[in-house]
């Protein structure tokens, strides 16, 4: 049976290149099993202050989202939640708060990916630098230990208050999941991908029961800085992912 078209699909031509990138990120998050059913959400700021942003429509599977489906919202306009295709209330609460309070958070990705969520469920949710991928995040994340239910607006405001430092690119949301920030879609998706890989490495290492070989502060710091400064890594990674979709004649850019 052919899936029915999304009821709210119509001509949305503003910020078309940004829409295409974000749609590609949704498709790859689904393919890599980083999402959870229809519960997770990505957003992308499209103006200088960051308060206007694109976001996925309410309760739509990542694998169906196209560029034209994305909502254009204003974090200061509460009437956004009264439109027929309004975003998920928790998506609005979390992402709206971030785009109001953290102008450096250009792209925001929130998922309940398996290994990151396992890490967020441990009493000690720190990610020690035991390899190159885990070192990527050394001193670049914050752990939220005060989970207070679904991320409606009050909870979203609380989370946003913990991400004022532009150096902090990841929130390990205790008992919840992961939140990743980026300068653009490629940067955020690359960070999301590598955080899940890093969390997987750490969780599997713990399962051996053996003592971990942890990098020194100096080496972990050096490695994190080298990865952050590595030329065009995120851009090339994401360009290749889009090229694969294009080779497959995917409709993500429609």
């Amino acid at each position: 049976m052919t899936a029915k078209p999304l009821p709210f699909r119509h001509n949305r031509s503003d910020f078309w290149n940004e829409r295409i990138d974000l749609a590609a990120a949704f498709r790859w998050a689904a393919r890599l099993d980083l999402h959870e059913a229809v519960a997770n959400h990505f957003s992308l700021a499209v103006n200088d202050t960051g308060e206007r942003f694109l976001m996925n429509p309410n309760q739509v599977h990542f694998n169906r989202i196209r560029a034209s489906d994305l909502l254009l919202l204003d974090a200061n306009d509460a009437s956004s939640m009264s439109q027929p295709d309004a975003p998920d209330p928790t998506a609005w609460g979390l992402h709206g708060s971030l785009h109001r309070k953290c102008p450096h958070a250009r792209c925001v990705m929130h998922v309940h990916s398996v290994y990151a969520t396992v890490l967020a469920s441990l009493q000690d949710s720190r990610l020690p630098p035991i390899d190159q991928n885990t070192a990527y995040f050394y001193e670049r994340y914050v752990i939220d230990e005060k989970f207070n239910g679904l991320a409606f607006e009050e909870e979203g405001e609380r989370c946003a208050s913990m991400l004022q430092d532009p150096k902090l690119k990841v929130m390990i949301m205790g008992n919840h999941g992961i939140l990743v920030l980026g300068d653009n879609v490629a940067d955020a998706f690359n960070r999301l991908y590598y955080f899940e890989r890093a969390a997987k490495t750490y969780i599997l290492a713990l399962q051996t029961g053996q003592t971990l070989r942890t990098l020194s502060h100096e080496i972990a710091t050096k490695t994190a800085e080298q990865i952050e400064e590595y030329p065009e890594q995120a851009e090339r990674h994401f360009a290749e992912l889009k090229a694969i979709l294009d080779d497959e004649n995917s409709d993500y850019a429609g």
Side-chain angles (χ1 to χ4, degrees):
M1 180 181 294
T2 302
K4 294 181 180 179
L6 302 182
F8 42 76
R9 183 169 290 156
H10 52 77
N11 183 25
R12 291 172 173 165
S13 58
D14 290 341
F15 310 107
W16 194 246
N17 290 332
E18 292 88 345
R19 288 173 176 276
I20 288 173
D21 280 355
L22 198 56
F26 285 118
R27 296 300 181 96
W28 272 99
R31 185 175 299 199
L32 297 174
D33 197 27
L34 299 176
H35 66 314
E36 182 166 79
V38 294
N40 297 159
H41 17 86
F42 297 171
S43 61
L44 176 64
V46 294
N47 67 337
D48 290 342
T49 61
E51 294 167 333
R52 296 187 74 205
F53 61 97
L54 298 171
M55 177 180 275
N56 47 311
N58 187 22
Q59 307 290 316
V60 177
H61 197 282
F62 280 16
N63 205 40
R64 296 188 62 211
I65 293 174
R66 304 194 328 187
S68 58
D69 300 325
L70 298 172
L71 307 175
L72 180 59
L73 306 172
D74 186 330
N76 294 313
D77 183 3
S79 69
S80 297
M81 290 302 294
S82 64
Q83 63 187 52
D85 50 354
D88 180 291
T90 61
W92 173 256
L94 185 60
H95 292 251
S97 298
L98 279 159
H99 287 297
R100 278 193 302 273
K101 290 181 171 293
C102 304
H104 59 277
R106 303 300 298 175
C107 187
V108 181
M109 297 186 175
H110 169 58
V111 297
H112 304 160
S113 54
V114 174
Y115 288 97
T117 304
V118 170
L119 178 64
S121 303
L122 301 180
Q123 182 64 38
D124 182 354
S125 292
R126 289 176 295 179
L127 182 67
I130 60 171
D131 77 326
Q132 183 169 294
N133 287 347
T134 50
Y136 176 12
F137 300 97
Y138 187 64
E139 296 186 335
R140 283 163 168 75
Y141 62 82
V142 61
I143 301 172
D144 175 21
E145 297 180 336
K146 296 182 179 180
F147 175 73
N148 192 33
L150 297 184
F152 295 114
E153 196 145 356
E154 183 176 346
E155 182 76 346
E157 292 277 339
R158 185 184 65 79
C159 290
S161 70
M162 298 176 66
L163 289 166
Q164 300 298 299
D165 182 352
K167 184 180 177 182
L168 299 175
K169 302 289 190 177
V170 175
M171 174 180 277
I172 299 171
M173 305 175 78
N175 308 103
H176 188 172
I178 194 75
L179 185 78
V180 174
L181 309 182
D183 296 334
N184 50 48
V185 176
D187 183 45
F189 191 85
N190 192 65
R191 188 167 289 111
L192 177 66
Y193 172 86
Y194 276 105
F195 192 90
E196 181 68 5
R197 297 279 292 190
K200 180 177 182 178
T201 295
Y202 176 52
I203 298 302
L204 293 178
L206 288 178
Q207 291 177 357
T208 70
Q210 298 190 43
T211 302
L212 302 179
R213 180 185 290 127
T214 305
L215 298 174
S216 68
H217 167 74
E218 292 74 19
I219 297 301
T221 299
K222 176 183 177 181
T223 303
E225 291 173 350
Q226 289 174 330
I227 293 173
E228 285 281 1
E229 296 169 1
Y230 200 86
E232 298 186 350
Q233 197 274 335
E235 290 76 11
R236 290 306 310 152
H237 177 200
F238 198 66
E240 286 298 298
L241 297 182
K242 289 170 64 180
I244 292 170
L245 293 176
D246 292 338
D247 288 346
E248 296 172 346
N249 294 317
S250 170
D251 64 351
Y252 78 100

